[in-house]
Amino acid sequence: MTGSELGRYIIRRLLQTVPVVLGVVVMNFLLLQLAPGDLATVLAGEAGGAPKEYIDQLRQRFGQDQPVLVQLFNYLRNIVFLDLGYSFRQSAPVLDLLLARLVPTLLLMGATLIVSLGIGVLTGVLAALWVRTWKDHLVSVAAIVFYATPLFWVGLMLILLFSIHLDWFPTSGMEDVVAFHEGWARVVDIAHHLVLPTITLSLFYLALYARLMRASMLEQRGLDYVTTARAKGLTDRQITTRHVFRNALLPVVTMAGVQFGGLLGGSVVVESVFAWPGLGQLAYQSLFARDFNLLLGIFFLSSCLVVTVNLVVDLVYVVLDPRIRIG
Amino acid sequence: MRSFRQRFLGNPRVALGLAWLGLVVAVALLADVLAPKDPFAIVGAPFAPPAGDFVLGTDSLGRDVAAGLIHGARTTMLIAVLSTLAAVGFGAIVGAVTGYYGKLVDDVLMRTTEFFQTIPSFLFAIVLIAILSPSAVNLVIAIATVSWPPIARVVRGEVLAVRSREFVQAAVVAGQRDSAILVTQVLPNTLSPLIVTGSLLVATAILFESALSFLGLGAPNQMSWGFMIGAGRSFMREAWWLVMVPGVAILLTVLAINLVGEGLNDALNPRLADL
Amino acid sequence: MHRIPFAMASAAIAVALFAGPSALAQKPGGTLVQITQPEPPNLAPYISTSGPIGQVTAKVFDGLLDYDFDLKPKPALAESFTVAPDGKTVTFKLRKDVKFHDGKPFTSADVRFTIMDVLKTNHPRGIATFKEVTAVETPDPHTAVFKLATPAPYMMMALSGYESPILPKHVYGVGDIKTHAKANEPVGTGPFRFVEWRRGEFVRLDKNKDYWRAGQPYLDRIVVRFIADASTRTAALEKGEAHVAGFGAVPYNDVKKLGALPSLEVTTKGYEMISPIVELVINTRKPPFDNQKVRQAVSYAVDRKFVIDNVWFGFGKPAMGPISSNFAPSGLYAAGIDFTVADRIERANKLLDEAGFPKKADGFRFEIVHDITPYGEEWQRFGEAVQQALAQVGIKATLRYEDVAKWLKRLYTDYDYFISSNFLYNLADPVLGVHRGFHSDRIKPGTVFVNGARWSTPETDALMDKATVEADAAKRSVLYKDLVQKVSEGSPVIYVLELQFPTIVNKQFRNVITGPLGIYGNFATAYRQ
């Protein structure tokens, strides 16, 4: 495949994603219209009560006195120019709010992905090598235990143990708000705060990756090319490292790619337990406040990222595995 | 090569998993006999530790934790199984139809599943619950709605693979109707991945229910394991049993389902199992 | 000879003054970390009275007045005030040495702007509080004269920096006040100035070095942190990462545990101007609750003591009517019918029998749905306790738990409910917080936290109208006694308990809770030991 073919492929795929993303925006918009109650009511409720005139005034300001289709049209028109609107509840442009949360989200999710993928793949490979021994069973059972333990429980137990009893890590937040470190000290401080939430979230995902990696390894080992390789006189070790491992990694990478897109939506539970300022929390709060401009913005961002990640995963596939044709 | 049954039931892990699941199902069916009282009834002093007047203690309002566990088995399993059945049913139909007819229909499905993929599924479930309001039925709807797309994809993939095979082509040539071909020829061949994925979906549904309840979005009138965790989470440090009892129940059940699911997978794909 | 003891005495006093703990301890410095839950939606207390906003902005904005624990006004931005004999003119003398955080001086023009252009037209409660204000005259830069259409004694209770923050006209007077650029970067005259708000994390407020109360504030900085999970909030306080939390930010069952730690103390003071009441509001136009006897029966059935002990872990006392006992010092408090009597279950059953709802074969008289206030766990537990209490007298209740938007619509727009838990503040005066619950004026579809019960009588309306304009406390107290009795007979709302919010304070910090506004105070006198 030539470079220009690849370039054309990417452009075509990108063009295809535009209607998908717009469709997603429309679907989300209409879906949220189904939720009873509106932002004006919530704001009045938060205020502990407000006169009717005030609420009507709010609705007018939010444009909610318009018919739904007009609201939708306005929203779409703005989104074409990447104007995600204004969060009336938070008195700030949606884009600013999203960008402020993007870095912490990427930090937590990136760290989680690295830790869980690294350890998950490693334990998955080991389990596959030890297949049907007690060690393999132990890994499988441990993986399921991690998978099935509620995240909030793990999180709170880690806080109790490592934060309160051992005093190794802070309970929550992203940095020390008494010291307000700067420069490298700040980097270290943030990394220090990142440890417990990353462990909590990683336990869940590494269980998934370990299981997937094990299954994938076993599947590859059963394929014909392994027999051929063996017949050619390659050692088991060579076969495993050169062929099986690389091929077995593909589905795990796909899964991780797909999940990374989803991960960017944040983790409501872990962010809540560790007071991590991510997008999940923001989405959760804006849903219950009916702050739909903000929520739609988050969904929009998330869908753009998912579509992009899908494209990247496909490209990685094309590059890694020449048998897959683009088209 | 051993028979499917031998391979499946002969596996000690599967036997263990089935034993636990059997126990849970039996408890769920016999809940009213084992604990005849309303599990929400206030029956004793709050925070009574286990192994006192009440086997598993009482919660913050003085409700019997054992009764909650028993009735919770029923609600939790019902929600998990029903949402899985709904997701598998819907996903299988959509996957089969699109896989069989291809092209236009297929494009629509792929775009639709993409839509579902773009919203993180847990967040999507929360949105649905906010729209529908928390109740057992709505939990089933929400969980099923976010779970069906992977099923549809799996079935579609299998159908695509099976469609071009000789026996299907033969049926087409013989003039069988599409629906008949789908049901008699195509779907049975997709059954094994469907069963495996579906069994794991039950586990996911249980975890979904407990996470939603943790956020206070569970069904308020049905005692479930998720409800018990949600109600006990504030008291984790002084009354460990409130979270531990339902938490361990969930853990063991998810574990059992996974063991059985893996066993099914191994048994249905003997080449893999006999490595 | 008589002089010596005197000299000794004065020496002793001098020692106490210079070496005593207070003089030593109030050395400036330190960062106080406050936990506020949930995160405020914005920092614009002039357009939203959402609870968390005030916990931050009361440190940034001053009011014309302050209040002591008995709810008596104290000077703040206004050095003094005089009310004309007819009650229709109130004259405030303003301090002359006050500067806003941007260095510009504070004058009567700012007061006029704040009251007339902002609070009276945009503040959710200000619209009612300043309804009678027709003009604010500014004869000179340091005098503000409020002209009223009819006397409004209750207005004098609503002039704190929390309730009616005074804004700089030169900042907020430019541009649309509803979407103002400074909505999240407040500029006021208060002891702390706004520095930074990192969403989802914290708001940072630094010491206002030019504060008009000389030497104050003592603290260098206040950081307000937002931690969504309740157990984590407890852990942060326990570990000393945060120092103050109130308004139910910490689970009630954790409060005792925290109070037992040597580093922390717990107080229930600092809510006297808020007086929260947990109640059950009844849809009095929906059968069977259109029957007064049924409503009274429900009131008897609810076990207030059980709820206080097991849901709010002791942080409350039974409510005896719509007016909180916090108004006892001002003489406005009155108790209604005692629904906590020993034979309350028998009474409830008898009332229900009389009302024509006998128990059927299954033990139940009728079925209802009980809506739950969507404010978190303790409200769910409260709902479950009410469900069990109702079952005891033969009422079968199904629980419904919806989110805030849906619930508010159900209660105050659609009136599509039987009975719901609810949470209302008495606020600084019964006119502001109590009348709204059952005055016929306040049956307004679409307006939240008003008369959702849709119950009123001409007699009770008349009593409230008189109490609104009555300046004499003794006369008002007679009116309220009568009102409370009538409301408790009608039982449109079942007053369950007066919630006593606990505030947890790290003992390193002193003088944190110094008035009836508690965490809504400005912390100017708080210092680190």
Side-chain angles (χ1 to χ4, degrees):
Chain A
M1 174 174 43
T2 64
S4 68
E5 266 179 10
L6 192 66
R8 250 180 282 141
Y9 172 68
I10 293 176
I11 289 169
R12 207 179 68 221
R13 279 289 304 264
L14 280 176
L15 286 178
Q16 277 178 350
T17 60
V18 172
V20 171
V21 170
L22 281 183
V24 167
V25 170
V26 173
M27 296 264 278
N28 285 332
F29 188 94
L30 296 176
L31 180 73
L32 294 185
Q33 295 301 321
L34 295 174
D38 65 358
L39 177 60
T41 316
V42 173
L43 289 184
E46 281 181 339
K52 175 109 171 65
E53 305 75 52
Y54 181 75
I55 297 176
D56 289 343
Q57 199 189 333
L58 286 179
R59 288 210 176 99
Q60 199 184 350
R61 185 146 62 89
F62 302 159
Q64 282 171 349
D65 50 348
Q66 309 263 332
V68 172
L69 285 179
V70 176
Q71 291 182 42
L72 174 61
F73 178 75
N74 289 339
Y75 188 79
L76 283 175
R77 196 186 50 202
N78 290 337
I79 221 159
V80 170
F81 301 103
L82 287 182
D83 173 4
L84 296 179
Y86 189 81
S87 164
F88 290 101
R89 179 167 178 270
Q90 306 223 353
S91 297
V94 168
L95 194 63
D96 293 0
L97 293 169
L98 292 188
L99 292 179
R101 297 297 184 97
L102 198 57
V103 173
T105 308
L106 287 174
L107 263 181
L108 177 59
M109 296 314 165
T112 300
L113 202 69
I114 292 167
V115 170
S116 57
L117 207 55
I119 303 180
V121 165
L122 185 70
T123 41
V125 169
L126 290 177
L129 293 179
W130 297 328
V131 67
R132 273 165 224 292
T133 65
W134 64 269
K135 289 188 218 158
D136 174 33
H137 294 308
L138 188 72
V139 170
S140 308
V141 170
I144 297 172
V145 168
F146 287 144
Y147 174 75
T149 310
L151 281 181
F152 75 88
W153 192 85
V154 176
L156 292 175
M157 285 300 137
L158 290 179
I159 290 179
L160 273 189
L161 181 61
F162 291 106
S163 186
I164 290 184
H165 290 303
L166 296 173
D167 200 13
W168 289 356
F169 297 103
T171 60
S172 55
M174 198 167 93
E175 60 183 301
D176 187 332
V177 295
V178 174
F180 280 110
H181 296 289
E182 282 173 15
W184 277 108
R186 183 165 177 226
V187 173
V188 172
D189 185 40
I190 290 178
H192 195 210
H193 281 78
L194 188 59
V195 174
L196 291 186
T198 303
I199 293 177
T200 308
L201 205 51
S202 297
L203 282 179
F204 179 79
Y205 286 104
L206 86 79
L208 284 181
Y209 297 143
R211 286 161 53 94
L212 194 60
M213 191 65 198
R214 173 182 177 274
S216 177
M217 287 281 287
L218 293 181
E219 194 176 349
Q220 288 294 327
R221 284 216 319 212
L223 293 182
D224 298 339
Y225 74 89
V226 175
T227 322
T228 319
R230 224 175 249 135
K232 271 167 55 185
L234 290 173
T235 65
D236 263 10
R237 189 189 191 84
Q238 284 169 321
I239 295 170
T240 304
T241 50
R242 279 192 213 158
H243 301 283
V244 175
F245 177 74
R246 268 184 53 188
N247 289 324
L249 211 53
L250 271 179
V252 180
V253 168
T254 319
M255 176 91 154
V258 169
Q259 274 176 344
F260 189 67
L263 273 171
L264 290 167
S267 163
V268 180
V269 173
V270 170
E271 286 171 19
S272 150
V273 168
F274 290 99
W276 191 265
L279 284 168
Q281 274 287 325
L282 193 68
Y284 186 70
Q285 289 160 0
S286 52
L287 168 64
F288 288 102
R290 300 289 189 272
D291 190 351
F292 288 153
N293 275 355
L294 185 51
L295 189 58
L296 285 171
I298 295 170
F299 284 164
F300 177 73
L301 182 72
S302 152
S303 58
C304 289
L305 287 164
V306 168
V307 169
T308 315
V309 169
N310 280 353
L311 177 59
V312 171
V313 167
D314 285 356
L315 287 177
V316 168
Y317 252 73
V318 172
V319 175
L320 278 188
D321 190 344
R323 283 173 307 175
I324 297 173
R325 286 210 333 270
I326 51 177
Chain B
M1 204 183 261
R2 296 174 304 162
S3 75
F4 167 79
R5 180 186 258 194
Q6 279 171 330
R7 285 197 308 272
F8 183 56
L9 295 177
N11 183 338
R13 301 208 289 177
V14 169
L16 269 177
L18 281 179
W20 174 258
L21 286 182
L23 181 69
V24 172
V25 170
V27 166
L29 290 176
L30 296 173
D32 289 332
V33 182
L34 295 169
K37 264 197 172 166
D38 175 8
F40 285 97
I42 294 160
V43 292
F47 296 121
D53 287 346
F54 300 94
V55 185
L56 294 175
T58 59
D59 76 356
S60 67
L61 291 184
R63 298 177 288 209
D64 185 357
V65 173
L69 190 71
I70 291 168
H71 285 266
R74 174 182 282 185
T75 313
T76 301
M77 290 309 282
L78 208 58
I79 289 176
V81 169
L82 285 182
S83 57
T84 302
L85 284 180
V88 168
F90 189 68
I93 291 172
V94 174
V97 168
T98 51
Y100 190 76
Y101 291 107
K103 265 306 161 219
L104 184 68
V105 192
D106 194 37
D107 274 353
V108 172
L109 168 82
M110 293 315 283
R111 294 295 91 81
T112 315
T113 50
E114 249 170 23
F115 164 73
F116 282 89
Q117 205 200 334
T118 55
I119 310 182
S121 60
F122 188 56
L123 205 55
F124 190 33
I126 295 176
V127 170
L128 289 172
I129 292 293
I131 291 173
L132 297 168
S133 89
S135 75
V137 174
N138 292 339
L139 279 174
V140 170
I141 294 175
I143 297 174
T145 308
V146 300
S147 313
W148 72 266
I151 299 271
R153 285 188 167 223
V154 166
V155 172
R156 171 181 168 273
E158 293 295 320
V159 170
L160 279 178
V162 169
R163 195 177 56 169
S164 52
R165 300 258 290 274
E166 296 82 358
F167 58 87
V168 177
Q169 295 304 323
V172 174
V173 173
Q176 279 194 31
R177 286 190 320 174
D178 286 355
S179 56
I181 298 175
L182 264 178
V183 173
T184 59
Q185 309 287 340
V186 179
L187 273 183
N189 284 288
T190 65
L191 221 49
S192 87
L194 201 59
I195 289 173
V196 173
T197 325
S199 73
L200 296 181
L201 217 52
V202 177
T204 317
I206 292 177
L207 294 176
F208 255 86
E209 195 264 337
S210 75
L212 287 169
S213 298
F214 168 79
L215 294 171
L217 300 172
N221 290 295
Q222 273 81 30
M223 184 60 80
S224 76
W225 293 344
F227 174 94
M228 294 172 76
I229 288 183
R233 52 170 296 216
S234 293
F235 315 106
M236 248 165 57
R237 289 170 68 179
E238 54 270 56
W240 53 268
W241 60 93
L242 296 185
V243 170
M244 211 54 126
V245 168
V248 168
I250 289 176
L251 183 76
L252 290 178
T253 309
V254 171
L255 184 64
I257 292 170
N258 273 276
L259 292 177
V260 173
E262 266 176 16
L264 269 176
N265 195 27
D266 290 353
L268 291 168
N269 300 298
R271 193 183 54 164
L272 209 62
D274 288 346
L275 279 176
Chain C
M1 284 299 285
H2 284 270
R3 284 182 164 192
I4 294 163
F6 178 75
M8 281 173 68
S10 68
I13 290 166
V15 168
L17 273 177
F18 290 105
S22 61
L24 258 187
Q26 289 185 10
K27 68 174 196 289
T31 297
L32 175 87
V33 179
Q34 169 185 316
I35 295 180
T36 288
Q37 171 59 26
E39 182 168 11
N42 55 56
L43 295 179
Y46 49 87
I47 50 167
S48 174
T49 40
S50 171
I53 296 177
Q55 293 187 40
V56 178
T57 58
K59 280 101 185 139
V60 178
F61 292 108
D62 285 313
L64 289 174
L65 299 176
D66 246 335
Y67 301 89
D68 66 15
F69 277 115
D70 287 338
L71 309 188
K72 296 246 168 19
K74 294 196 298 185
L77 288 179
E79 284 177 325
S80 66
F81 66 89
T82 46
V83 182
D86 67 353
K88 289 186 183 175
T89 304
V90 188
T91 307
F92 293 91
K93 284 282 170 199
L94 309 177
R95 292 191 67 93
K96 299 191 171 92
D97 52 352
V98 181
K99 283 195 174 77
F100 285 104
H101 296 154
D102 59 3
K104 301 259 171 62
F106 155 74
T107 68
S108 54
D110 298 308
V111 176
R112 205 206 71 83
F113 164 74
T114 303
I115 303 296
M116 298 307 290
D117 296 349
V118 182
L119 300 182
K120 186 177 154 67
T121 41
N122 290 295
H123 188 276
R125 293 200 287 258
I127 292 174
T129 308
F130 299 109
K131 196 174 96 192
E132 306 299 338
V133 181
T134 52
V136 174
E137 291 169 2
T138 53
D140 67 67
H142 304 293
T143 307
V145 184
F146 285 38
K147 293 288 182 188
L148 304 163
T150 48
Y154 53 88
M155 184 187 81
M156 301 311 292
M157 302 307 297
L159 297 175
S160 65
Y162 157 67
E163 183 72 26
S164 301
I166 299 298
L167 314 176
K169 185 184 182 197
H170 63 274
V171 176
Y172 291 94
V174 183
D176 182 4
I177 191 69
K178 296 182 193 87
T179 53
H180 201 275
K182 290 287 177 186
N184 294 328
E185 297 164 15
V187 179
T189 57
F192 294 91
R193 60 185 178 82
F194 173 83
V195 178
E196 183 188 16
W197 179 5
R198 223 177 287 160
R199 302 267 176 180
E201 288 184 83
F202 61 81
V203 171
R204 173 174 160 184
L205 309 171
D206 282 1
K207 176 178 187 163
N208 172 11
K209 295 201 178 72
D210 301 323
Y211 191 50
W212 50 271
R213 282 187 176 106
Q216 293 179 8
Y218 301 119
L219 296 169
D220 279 346
R221 184 179 293 159
I222 295 176
V223 176
V224 183
R225 277 191 65 187
F226 315 114
I227 302 175
D229 189 82
S231 305
T232 312
R233 291 195 288 273
T234 304
L237 287 164
E238 187 173 347
K239 193 154 178 275
E241 286 177 12
H243 311 116
V244 188
F247 280 98
V250 168
Y252 296 89
N253 60 303
D254 283 350
V255 174
K256 278 202 184 88
K257 184 174 67 196
L258 289 178
L261 293 174
S263 60
L264 300 173
E265 62 187 352
V266 175
T267 174
T268 55
K269 287 181 82 75
Y271 300 96
E272 292 78 1
M273 278 191 110
I274 296 144
S275 300
I277 296 201
V278 172
E279 55 186 50
L280 293 167
V281 58
I282 297 177
N283 189 349
T284 60
R285 299 203 187 163
K286 191 179 181 88
F289 290 119
D290 52 349
N291 187 324
Q292 178 170 311
K293 285 185 173 167
V294 176
R295 300 196 296 266
Q296 288 180 351
V298 172
S299 192
Y300 278 118
V302 174
D303 187 345
R304 290 165 173 79
K305 190 179 176 316
F306 179 87
V307 171
I308 291 169
D309 289 347
N310 298 298
V311 178
W312 274 279
F313 294 91
F315 290 97
K317 54 180 173 182
M320 304 304 285
I323 298 180
S324 162
S325 58
N326 283 340
F327 287 103
S330 48
L332 301 182
Y333 171 69
I337 297 171
D338 184 1
F339 289 107
T340 62
V341 289
D343 62 339
R344 53 187 186 80
I345 297 293
E346 293 79 58
R347 289 196 193 199
N349 277 317
K350 187 158 164 284
L351 281 164
L352 288 167
D353 287 338
E354 286 170 12
F357 297 100
K359 275 191 184 170
K360 285 177 277 197
D362 61 356
F364 289 111
R365 304 167 188 275
F366 52 84
E367 287 189 26
I368 57 158
V369 177
H370 172 34
D371 285 281
I372 300 174
T373 314
Y375 291 171
E377 284 181 58
E378 58 268 20
W379 294 92
Q380 281 176 302
R381 301 293 90 75
F382 176 44
E384 287 149 23
V386 169
Q387 183 188 39
Q388 295 300 318
L390 292 178
Q392 269 199 312
V393 297
I395 301 174
K396 185 171 186 165
T398 310
L399 300 177
R400 182 162 52 202
Y401 189 74
E402 298 173 329
D403 66 7
V404 176
K406 228 172 162 177
W407 175 74
L408 286 173
K409 185 165 183 286
R410 186 180 284 288
L411 254 68
Y412 294 106
T413 304
D414 302 341
Y415 302 112
D416 179 20
Y417 74 104
F418 287 94
I419 182 168
S420 173
S421 48
N422 204 357
F423 190 41
L424 261 76
Y425 292 171
N426 268 191
L427 299 174
D429 190 282
V431 173
L432 304 172
V434 177
H435 291 192
R436 56 181 170 166
F438 37 77
H439 196 291
S440 60
D441 276 1
R442 294 312 197 92
I443 303 179
K444 285 188 169 179
T447 307
V448 298
F449 297 121
V450 288
N451 190 349
R454 289 185 295 167
W455 176 92
S456 68
T457 67
E459 301 85 59
T460 48
D461 278 1
L463 286 168
M464 283 183 275
D465 293 341
K466 277 186 207 154
T468 303
V469 292
E470 181 56 68
D472 183 75
K475 287 185 191 157
R476 274 184 95 191
S477 111
V478 175
L479 295 170
Y480 279 136
K481 200 167 173 150
D482 201 4
L483 177 74
V484 167
Q485 188 59 34
K486 289 200 160 68
V487 170
S488 108
E489 271 164 27
S491 286
V493 175
I494 291 161
Y495 300 94
V496 179
L497 61 104
E498 295 177 8
L499 187 56
Q500 296 171 314
F501 279 125
T503 302
I504 297 99
V505 183
N506 192 303
K507 285 182 185 164
Q508 274 189 321
F509 293 88
R510 316 303 296 177
N511 268 353
V512 177
I513 303 301
T514 54
L517 284 166
I519 287 194
Y520 287 141
N522 65 18
F523 288 8
T525 56
Y527 63 94
R528 193 176 67 179
Q529 265 183 342

